[in-house]
Amino acid sequence: MNFSISFVVASLIFIIEQSWAFVPISGNKRGNISVCTALGMAVSRKEKYSITLLPGDGIGPEITAATKEVLSALSKRCGFQMELTEALIGGAAIDLKNDPFPEETLKRCQNSDSVLLACIGGYKWDNNPRHLRPESGLLKMRKELGLFANLRPAKVMPQLLDASTLKREVVEGVDLMVVRELTGDVYFGTPKGIDVKEDGQRVGYNNMVYHEEEVKRIARVAGNVASKRSGKLCSVDKANVLDVSQLWRDVTTEVMKEEFPDVQLSHMYVDNAAMQLIRWPKQFDTIVTGNIFGDILSDEASMLVGSLGMLPSASIGSPQGPGVFEPIHGSAPDIAGQNKANPLAMILSAAMMLTYDLDRPDEALILERAVEAVLEKGLRTSDIKQEGDGCQLVGCTEMGRAVAELVLTIDAPVKVVA
């Protein structure tokens, strides 16, 4: 099973080098690491790693527990240690610290080799003031850790082909990557707020802002990803009505022309892109877009494969800090605590973490092989179970345990040296 991870891994050093060429590496707090490794977002391979776990809300603690069991099995098999320390984020942090991303969590993340996040949010906090909502903690984390690029693969797996709500002929063979800018756009632009006018009417406003350098660095990431795939890149914007999108389009075009002349660049308005992802998704290979458009389109793309519960993601940025790896699904509060969650996306996010941040790509392949094998065995959580498919319905705990057992026994794709 290939989640489009390997080609990104192969290009990641060059991606970060080009995107962060203007950022000095001096003052690195991540230990004695080489320049090459730092630019690749990974610490030097070592025998003990510090990992911050952020279980968050809803089903987060359940899928975190399942992933911890899998990582424990991997450490046992491969002979290295992962010191897993949990910290608060989201609603859980609001309840205990009155802050969706407390300072102690930020410091712990900054001093870690990597961060593994489950999910945040829930109905309980929806009516809180904006600064006391779980999502505000997520945005703060991305900004403080310099995570400007989110890579979200969407590849249809043969085992789950019929789990998609779309016709087989539409989704079979789909393999695309959404490159989303994470730290700009309307989510971060200022001024913003809700004011009361003289006549008593309330007015809400946000500011959709991109600086040229922000567009350049995400365009370079996308250009490198596209060049390692089919060489096709579609930039999504709304340049027909938004000035900020016109800047996005102009800068992206300039970067591709000057730095990636072999990449075939096309442009598409976001409303058309949303329709085309459903009508003919195989026309896309690599998509690059801004924060709010990417938020929507990457979730839409994930449903091509049948379930949000199957897709990992990597958020990368500053070479001086860790990446954050997380499943793309939400906290699913309606099934929290019922042992119904699918932990596979978080397990696969851990595989991406092993490759990107821990310099353990061989061990990452073991996790990927184990996930593929558990699906081949016919185990399914409720989100990917189809009526009459002959597969066995299992819960979150059972699925995690099955993957952990396979991690201990499955044939390694390459020799693992502890």
Side-chain angles (χ1 to χ4, degrees):
M1 177 176 58
N2 180 356
F3 281 88
S4 303
I5 294 173
S6 57
F7 75 88
V8 182
V9 174
S11 63
L12 194 58
I13 291 177
F14 187 61
I15 289 173
I16 302 299
E17 181 177 356
Q18 295 297 311
S19 303
W20 278 84
F22 54 89
V23 178
I25 302 179
S26 60
N28 196 322
K29 298 179 181 179
R30 307 193 67 194
N32 183 22
I33 60 178
S34 68
V35 172
C36 181
T37 301
L39 293 173
M41 284 294 293
V43 298
S44 297
R45 182 184 179 95
K46 54 186 181 180
E47 298 310 310
K48 186 176 182 179
Y49 301 91
S50 172
I51 311 299
T52 295
L53 296 177
L54 303 175
D57 310 317
I59 62 173
E62 297 169 73
I63 61 174
T64 299
T67 303
K68 286 173 68 175
E69 185 171 354
V70 171
L71 291 176
S72 176
L74 184 70
S75 293
K76 181 178 179 180
R77 172 173 177 170
C78 301
F80 67 96
Q81 298 180 46
M82 281 181 278
E83 185 180 273
L84 306 175
T85 305
E86 295 188 7
L88 295 170
I89 192 173
I94 293 170
D95 289 348
L96 291 176
K97 300 290 185 178
N98 201 39
D99 185 341
F101 190 61
E103 186 66 23
E104 53 263 43
T105 298
L106 171 61
K107 290 180 179 178
R108 186 172 295 279
C109 291
Q110 289 173 329
N111 292 321
S112 297
D113 294 317
S114 193
V115 178
L116 191 58
L117 167 66
C119 46
I120 55 98
Y123 313 126
K124 176 181 179 181
W125 306 281
D126 281 351
N127 294 321
N128 282 12
R130 181 70 59 189
H131 70 285
L132 289 179
R133 294 185 187 179
E135 295 78 11
S136 296
L138 190 63
L139 296 180
K140 180 181 177 182
M141 179 188 70
R142 291 170 179 168
K143 186 172 184 178
E144 293 292 339
L145 296 180
L147 306 172
F148 72 86
N150 182 240
L151 309 180
R152 290 191 174 188
K155 181 179 175 69
V156 175
M157 295 174 290
Q159 300 95 331
L160 300 178
L161 191 56
D162 294 322
S164 175
T165 55
L166 299 180
K167 294 179 180 178
R168 174 183 284 257
E169 59 265 28
V170 173
V171 298
E172 189 170 18
V174 166
D175 179 4
L176 62 88
M177 173 69 75
V178 178
V179 180
R180 170 190 171 193
E181 201 285 326
L182 273 185
T183 57
D185 209 338
V186 72
Y187 291 170
F188 290 93
T190 56
K192 60 182 178 180
I194 300 176
D195 294 340
V196 180
K197 299 173 66 177
E198 292 182 0
D199 61 2
Q201 291 289 313
R202 288 174 295 172
V203 56
Y205 52 95
N206 290 84
N207 199 6
M208 197 174 198
V209 177
Y210 267 117
H211 295 275
E212 181 176 359
E213 197 59 55
E214 292 177 311
V215 182
K216 281 184 177 180
R217 66 183 184 182
I218 195 68
R220 291 183 181 119
V221 171
N224 275 284
V225 170
S227 67
K228 300 301 185 295
R229 289 174 59 94
S230 71
K232 292 174 56 179
L233 175 64
C234 180
S235 176
V236 174
D237 57 44
K238 192 62 175 168
N240 55 337
V241 294
L242 296 175
D243 291 335
V244 64
S245 278
Q246 187 61 58
L247 175 68
W248 177 282
R249 180 173 291 210
D250 292 345
V251 173
T252 300
T253 301
E254 292 164 6
V255 169
M256 292 304 116
K257 182 179 179 180
E258 296 171 6
E259 302 181 30
F260 303 93
D262 295 331
V263 171
Q264 180 184 341
L265 175 65
S266 62
H267 299 278
M268 189 175 291
Y269 297 141
V270 64
D271 44 352
N272 186 31
M275 183 270 290
Q276 294 292 341
L277 271 173
I278 299 301
R279 189 186 75 84
W280 184 29
K282 283 180 277 192
Q283 69 182 284
F284 297 105
D285 184 87
T286 305
I287 296 173
V288 62
T289 191
N291 206 344
I292 189 169
F293 297 157
D295 192 1
I296 297 165
L297 293 178
S298 57
D299 276 3
E300 181 187 4
S302 71
M303 286 311 298
L304 299 172
V305 310
S307 174
L308 284 166
M310 290 303 304
L311 296 181
S313 74
S315 295
I316 59 175
S318 169
Q320 299 181 40
V324 174
F325 303 85
E326 60 182 298
I328 73 169
H329 59 69
S331 63
D334 54 319
I335 62 169
Q338 300 177 40
N339 195 34
K340 292 182 178 180
N342 184 346
L344 296 182
M346 188 166 182
I347 293 169
L348 290 167
S349 297
M352 296 183 81
M353 174 188 73
L354 285 160
T355 301
Y356 287 171
D357 267 3
L358 307 188
D359 195 21
R360 293 268 179 176
D362 297 343
E363 289 82 350
L365 287 173
I366 293 177
L367 294 194
E368 294 169 25
R369 282 280 182 92
V371 169
E372 181 179 17
V374 84
L375 294 174
E376 289 288 352
K377 289 179 64 175
L379 300 186
R380 300 287 189 272
T381 46
S382 58
D383 60 310
I384 53 176
K385 181 78 170 67
Q386 300 294 302
E387 185 176 354
D389 61 7
C391 295
Q392 179 185 353
L393 179 64
V394 297
C396 179
T397 300
E398 292 74 25
M399 181 65 87
R401 186 164 299 132
V403 175
E405 291 172 354
L406 284 163
V407 164
L408 290 171
T409 60
I410 197 169
D411 288 340
V414 293
K415 184 178 180 181
V416 176
V417 179

